[in-house]
Amino acid sequence: MWGLSGSELLFRGGVAVMAAAGVLGIVSVVVFTLTGRTLRAKLDQEYGKMRGKQKCPKE
């Protein structure tokens, strides 16, 4: 194929998959942080700010 043996191909493929997983993990953390901030701001605007730890009313 590219002059690589089967084990080298598996190794380099695994390294590439792990690198892609790391990059996608960082991207997802950034996206969830930004959307979490906007969601928190919208919830605070609609329902008011939470005061400390509040328990669920069903408990």
Side-chain angles (χ1 to χ4, degrees), residues 21-44:
V23 169
L24 289 175
I26 291 170
V27 168
S28 65
V29 166
V30 169
V31 168
F32 289 143
T33 300
L34 294 176
T35 58
R37 286 182 187 168
T38 57
L39 177 63
R40 174 61 60 196
K42 185 169 185 148
L43 289 174
D44 286 344

Side-chain angles (χ1 to χ4, degrees), residues 52-59:
K53 286 188 176 181
Q54 295 181 352
K55 289 191 175 183
C56 182
K58 294 181 181 179
E59 292 181 359

